[in-house]
Structure formats: C-alpha cells, structure tokens
Amino acid sequence: SMQRLSMRAAPCCRSFAFGPRTSPARWYIHTRKFFKRKIPPHPALGDHNPEEYDTRYGRKWMEHPRKEFRKPILYSTIGRLNFKPGTTGGILRWFRPRSHAWKRRLSEQYRKRWPSDENIDMEFFAEYFNKPWKRRTFLETAHAFPLHGVGYTFFRATRPQESFVLRYVKFTERPIKGRMRGQFLFNGKPVLEDVATLHKSVGRWTGTPPSHMGHVVRPDFPAVQEQEQ
C-alpha cells in the first residue's frame, strides 16, 4: 500500500522516500508545505521592460481577454510591414508556442513605437542611446562614436582578450540594425580579416579610439551667409 501511495503522489513528492524514520503523517506535512508556498507571478509573454517604460516610449499594453493581468502588444519589428489586420495567431494554437515566427515575436527587442504627443521629445529619440550599458548592443555602442566607430577597437568587458577593429559599417535602420566588417584579434594578435564580430546582440561593449585619432581634423562648416547665397 505504501508503494502505491508513493506512486500516486504529486510529482513534487515522489522524491520523498519512505523509510523507518518517515510516516504518512510526515509525508502529509511535506506536501502541505509545498502546495501552500507562494509562487511568484509568471511574467507576461513578450515582457522585456516594465509597463511604465514601454508606455513612455510608445509601446502599449492591453488587458488579457481571459485573465486578470496586463500584457504588451506584440507589434511588428521597426522597418518591417505590419501584421495583416485580423491576424491573432489563434489558428493551430497547439503549434503556436513551437513555431519560430511566434518565438521571434516574443523575443523581439525593437517593436514599433506609437508615442503620445507629450512623449515626443529628445529623450524619445535617444532611447537606444540611453539604454543601460549591460544591454547596449554593438551597433548601438558604435553609433555613438565619431564616424560610427570606424577605426575603433571594441571589446566586451567579460572577454577583454577578444577585440574587434571596425573597418566598415552600414546601417539599414539606425542605430539598431546594420552590417559591419572588421578585424578580429585575440590577445592583440590578428586572427581573422573581413568578418563580423561575435556577440553583437548582447551588451557590455567598450570602444577605444585609434592611436592616430588626434590627427583627424574635420573641416569647418560653411558660414551661414554662404549657405544662403
């Protein structure tokens, strides 16, 4: 009977071994403590930032139709077409969590923004520049340097032995998407040429200017009178 009781127990209690020092009473106390514990609330699907942060930068939230909590609206990516009106993803609901398209929608970091009139200011356009250093990607870091970081040596704080000298960068959507090419170095020695850097989608990037940066002089802008003429 004890063997049947242990097999029918909850999954959390199957590891509870019956022996000479155990009893059904202690097993009952063990299960009661497990089911009465405080389980933290599950985050909403696609929740990367707090609701106040998303509202400040134009990403709206909505009430869940069947549950009493709020969730972010899964807008399409910046620079891509909107989803077809009426497409809710309810077809083949059993397959949706396993599809790559659904996983991309949940993990998307650059959703479209629809800010209110009072939130359109300089801080709104500098959202990606003001991101925390631990989350700022390679392109977002390089975009803030002169010449978009061309000639700079970049490395991550977690891997200082691996560095990358940027030779070419072309932004398709500034400052979040683009293509880069450069030289990969390990312990200061060249390893690969004309390649893209590793871990470009994660943060903790640092850049140092080249040694000849002090000799680069930008020409002066023309005078206002000459522009008017």
Side-chain angles (χ1 to χ4, degrees), residues 127-180:
E127 176 189 3
Y128 304 113
F129 178 79
N130 295 330
K131 286 177 61 175
W133 174 69
K134 296 181 179 180
R135 298 176 53 190
R136 197 181 306 158
T137 63
F138 176 84
L139 289 177
E140 294 170 353
T141 304
H143 188 268
F145 289 107
L147 304 177
H148 294 165
V150 175
Y152 278 64
T153 302
F154 295 88
F155 62 91
R156 295 190 64 212
T158 56
R159 296 187 177 185
Q161 70 276 9
E162 299 179 1
S163 57
F164 180 79
V165 180
L166 185 61
R167 302 298 187 190
Y168 166 82
V169 61
K170 181 179 180 181
F171 286 93
T172 56
E173 292 156 9
R174 297 192 307 170
I176 58 178
K177 293 183 180 181
R179 298 181 61 186
M180 84 288 292

Side-chain angles (χ1 to χ4, degrees), residues 61 119 129:
W61 286 46
N119 290 333
F129 178 79

Side-chain angles (χ1 to χ4, degrees), residues 149-153 165 167 207-216:
V150 175
Y152 278 64
T153 302
V165 180
R167 302 298 187 190
T208 56
S211 58
H212 60 278
M213 191 66 182
H215 302 284
V216 177

